[in-house]
């Protein structure tokens, strides 16, 4: 039955559907088996058409942004994987004073969900628009950053803070505009993780600010990343969430630290290797794929870390990365 549906889908979009494609190259971890079907949406119309058609044919759908927060299973993903390469950025409108002297103006900018968030941050900084500058260097797409409510710690800021509204494709196939509050943003959390709706585009509300000041702040984030995170290696960023303030106070973490990386380091994991996966010696909350790691190598490391941190500190670490597909 599914083979027939796949064939119908392939015929509906001639030349656009790839079969049995390894997903590892589409992730920053460079891990993951094949997708039965893969399409790349270059604009919003294609994105909607792929999703609605696959739904009509009862083909399961998985959305891929920049693949930077994922552990995809070694057996890959059944059904259709939609890579989001939508690219449009539009300044929607302005409110308030906008001349050189008065810099209090609010500017609304809309980005397609497939726009790389780092490219979008550069664009806003270059336009002298404040709200996202601390996220310079964040991998992934605008859609993934909204799904995860991605964050920066120094100074603290969440991508969701700057969201004004978004256009989503609901599970009943309707394109709908929803306000920021719809997303129920919290730490590593948005409602999309429950609803699995697709974000098509996002309108951000940003403030006019001096370009020089914004570049200074943005470059400080990049410098902090370079100083604290492993560079030029295959990772999915932090594997675990940091602890909540109340957990850090409740459990006997050294110095009431909230940092998952600090606990993993204190439990002796830096440099611990299983197969091709190793705990980074730069930042213990990063697992590095040395080149040939499998998802199962990473899973084994994750469960060893969870067990030891739990027995040593009483803390149950929660994963930040998303698992996808079959393991
Ligand atoms: C080196 C490195 C540094 C990192 N630094 C940070 C950091 O500072 N802060 C931080 O918070 N994270 C960080 N991350 C994690 C990751 O970059 C973010 O979570 C990022 O926002 C994920 O976006 P993505 O497009 O890659 O999502 P993906 O990994 O592709 O997908 C993540 C989830 O979002 C869903 N999704 C993607 N697009 C859409 C859409 N349009 N609509 C609905 N759902 C969608 C996917 O289905 C999936 O469930 C880092 C990762 C790496 C590799």
């Amino acid at each position: 039955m599914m083979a027939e549906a796949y064939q119908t889908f392939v015929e509906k979009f001639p030349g656009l559907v790839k079969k049995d494609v390894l997903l590892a190259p589409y992730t920053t971890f460079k891990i993951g088996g094949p997708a039965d079907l893969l399409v790349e949406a270059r604009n919003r119309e294609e994105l909607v058409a792929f999703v609605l058609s696959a739904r009509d044919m009862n083909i399961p759908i998985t959305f891929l942004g920049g693949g930077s927060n994922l552990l995809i299973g070694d057996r890959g993903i059944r059904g259709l994987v939609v890579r989001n390469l939508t690219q449009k950025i539009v300044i929607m409108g302005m409110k308030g004073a906008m001349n050189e002297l008065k810099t209090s103006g609010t500017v609304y900018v809309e980005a397609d969900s497939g726009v790389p968030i780092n490219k979008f941050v550069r664009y806003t900084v270059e336009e002298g628009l404040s709200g996202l500058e601390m996220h310079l260097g964040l991998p992934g797409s605008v859609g993934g950053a909204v799904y995860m409510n991605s964050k920066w710690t120094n100074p603290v800021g969440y991508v969701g803070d700057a969201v004004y509204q978004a256009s989503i494709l609901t599970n009943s196939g309707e394109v709908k505009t929803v306000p920021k509050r719809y997303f129920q943003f919290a730490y590593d959390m948005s409602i999309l993780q429950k609803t699995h709706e697709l974000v098509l585009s996002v309108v951000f509300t940003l403030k006019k600010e001096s370009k020089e000041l914004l570049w200074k702040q943005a470059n400080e984030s990049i410098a902090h990343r370079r100083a604290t995170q492993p560079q030029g290696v295959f990772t999915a960023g932090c594997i675990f969430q940091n602890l909540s303030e109340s957990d850090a106070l409740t459990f006997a973490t050294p110095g009431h630290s909230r940092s998952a990386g600090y606990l993993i380091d204190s439990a002796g994991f830096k440099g611990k290797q299983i197969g091709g996966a190793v705990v980074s010696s730069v930042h213990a909350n990063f697992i590095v794929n040395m080149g040939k790691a499998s998802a199962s190598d990473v899973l084994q490391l994750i469960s060893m870390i969870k067990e030891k941190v739990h027995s040593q500190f009483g803390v149950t670490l929660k994963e930040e990365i998303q698992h996808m597909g079959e393991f």
Side-chain angles (χ1 to χ4, degrees):
M1 277 300 274
M2 201 41 86
E4 265 173 46
Y6 285 178
Q7 195 49 36
T8 314
F9 189 84
V10 170
E11 283 164 14
K12 178 149 190 195
F13 299 104
L16 296 182
V17 189
K18 295 181 195 152
K19 286 189 189 166
D20 295 320
V21 186
L22 267 189
L23 292 167
Y26 302 117
T27 70
T28 54
F29 230 159
K30 305 295 176 223
I31 293 174
D36 289 346
L37 302 177
L38 176 87
V39 286
E40 299 187 330
R42 293 158 300 186
N43 53 55
R44 258 186 259 178
E45 292 69 32
E46 271 188 3
L47 193 54
V48 171
F50 288 143
V51 173
L52 293 185
S53 297
R55 275 191 195 147
D56 269 356
M57 298 171 199
N58 289 320
I59 299 174
I61 306 166
T62 303
F63 307 128
L64 209 59
S68 65
N69 202 44
L70 297 179
L71 179 63
I72 297 182
D74 296 321
R75 294 174 56 225
I77 298 181
R78 305 289 70 81
L80 174 72
V81 171
V82 183
R83 266 192 96 203
N84 185 351
L85 301 182
T86 58
Q87 284 297 327
K88 216 152 80 186
I89 298 176
V90 183
I91 294 194
M92 308 267 296
M94 302 164 191
K95 209 167 74 179
M98 282 296 299
N99 61 41
E100 295 284 325
L101 298 172
K102 294 194 172 184
T103 55
S104 62
T106 300
V107 180
Y108 298 94
V109 186
E110 184 178 45
D112 276 352
S113 55
V115 172
I117 186 83
N118 199 41
K119 176 177 167 188
F120 187 60
V121 172
R122 282 182 180 279
Y123 173 89
T124 58
V125 168
E126 197 47 37
E127 289 288 322
L129 298 173
S130 166
L132 292 169
E133 60 281 0
M134 72 290 278
H135 300 293
L136 190 65
L138 177 65
S141 63
V142 164
V146 169
Y147 178 97
M148 288 304 300
N149 191 24
S150 298
K151 73 269 166 208
W152 186 241
T153 41
N154 192 20
V156 175
Y158 294 86
V159 169
D161 295 347
V163 169
Y164 178 67
Q165 64 182 34
S167 171
I168 62 167
L169 181 67
T170 66
N171 294 331
S172 57
E174 193 192 345
V175 175
K176 204 165 126 183
T177 300
V178 293
K180 172 184 182 170
R181 67 175 178 280
Y182 177 80
F183 291 98
Q184 298 180 20
F185 289 121
Y187 179 84
D188 274 348
M189 199 10 236
S190 78
I191 194 74
L192 300 171
Q193 294 167 23
K194 292 191 184 127
T195 63
H196 304 292
E197 291 156 319
L198 172 66
V199 179
L200 299 171
S201 63
V202 183
V203 177
F204 291 91
T205 169
L206 304 166
K207 285 257 181 269
K208 269 308 237 183
E209 183 50 273
S210 134
K211 194 160 108 174
E212 288 66 34
L213 185 69
L214 293 177
W215 273 121
K216 186 172 171 290
Q217 289 168 346
N219 285 328
E220 278 169 14
S221 288
I222 289 283
H224 190 73
R225 278 183 196 278
R226 291 203 178 122
T228 57
Q229 298 177 357
Q231 300 294 306
V233 287
F234 303 144
T235 76
C238 286
I239 297 287
F240 298 102
Q241 296 181 350
N242 283 327
L243 273 56
S244 66
E245 203 172 337
S246 58
D247 272 3
L249 288 171
T250 309
F251 297 103
T253 67
H256 296 302
S257 172
R258 296 177 59 181
S259 159
Y262 185 68
L263 298 186
I264 299 165
D265 188 7
S266 305
F269 276 102
K270 271 191 178 171
K272 172 77 189 166
Q273 184 165 354
I274 291 190
V278 62
V279 176
S280 167
S281 51
V282 180
H283 190 319
N285 202 0
F286 280 58
I287 291 178
V288 176
N289 170 9
M290 304 290 282
K292 293 209 167 73
S294 62
S296 111
D297 295 340
V298 176
L299 280 187
Q300 283 180 60
L301 258 186
I302 287 176
S303 72
M304 281 177 72
I305 291 170
K306 276 185 172 169
E307 263 173 44
K308 182 122 188 259
V309 166
H310 187 260
S311 65
Q312 203 160 325
F313 305 110
V315 172
T316 305
L317 289 177
K318 264 180 74 187
E319 277 165 70
E320 176 179 327
I321 57 163
Q322 313 270 305
H323 294 203
M324 262 188 186
E326 298 178 353
F327 284 79

